[in-house]
Amino acid sequence: MVGGEAAAAVEELVSGVRQATDFAEQFRSYSESEKQWKARMEFILRHLPDYRDPPDGGGRLDQLLSLSMVWANHLFLGCSYNKDLLDKVMEMADGIEVEDVPQFTTRSELMKKHQS
């Protein structure tokens, strides 16, 4: 009987993951590559339980989606944001593995190089 209960628990877990993934899929931007979406979806799914909208509204999900875009734009496009905001999203993304992340040089770094 224990084996049957374990199998049922695994099936329930897989079903929950599938539902969460299907839910998150609606937030994919048409311009996101598969690699970018996979990383951003992991960010969203990791924090979704903490950002569910309360019954009275409140926009917590919108906040999570915005934070996920800030993180993805910084990581993949080199966009810069306020230090506190970047610190927050980088902390939230801690442990998300992304291969072949582009390397960007800021204007300040270029100017320092040029002046040397």
Side-chain angles (χ1 to χ4, degrees):
M1 215 40 153
V2 172
E5 290 173 5
V10 168
E11 181 58 37
E12 185 178 328
L13 178 63
V14 169
S15 176
V17 169
R18 192 174 303 123
Q19 287 176 346
T21 301
D22 290 346
F23 173 76
E25 191 66 38
Q26 68 183 311
F27 304 115
R28 182 177 184 175
S29 171
Y30 71 92
S31 62
E32 285 179 295
S33 70
E34 192 64 33
K35 177 176 156 180
Q36 291 167 339
W37 171 240
K38 183 179 174 188
R40 194 166 76 87
M41 183 170 60
E42 185 175 345
F43 185 101
I44 292 167
L45 292 177
R46 175 186 285 190
H47 298 286
L48 191 58
D50 298 329
Y51 282 86
R52 288 247 184 227
D53 283 340
D56 63 347
R60 300 273 299 151
L61 180 58
D62 285 344
Q63 184 181 19
L64 174 60
L65 296 173
S66 297
L67 292 168
S68 74
M69 288 302 297
V70 166
W71 175 69
N73 288 346
H74 174 70
L75 190 68
F76 294 110
L77 303 176
C79 297
S80 59
Y81 298 90
N82 171 286
K83 182 184 180 331
D84 292 337
L85 179 58
L86 275 180
D87 288 347
K88 177 180 177 120
V89 296
M90 296 310 284
E91 181 181 321
M92 291 173 74
D94 189 42
I96 297 176
E97 297 292 326
V98 180
E99 294 182 10
D100 302 322
V101 177
Q103 299 296 315
F104 298 98
T105 305
T106 64
R107 181 180 180 280
S108 300
E109 292 169 336
L110 288 173
M111 294 304 290
K112 284 180 187 175
K113 243 186 213 180
H114 182 68
Q115 291 172 351
S116 301

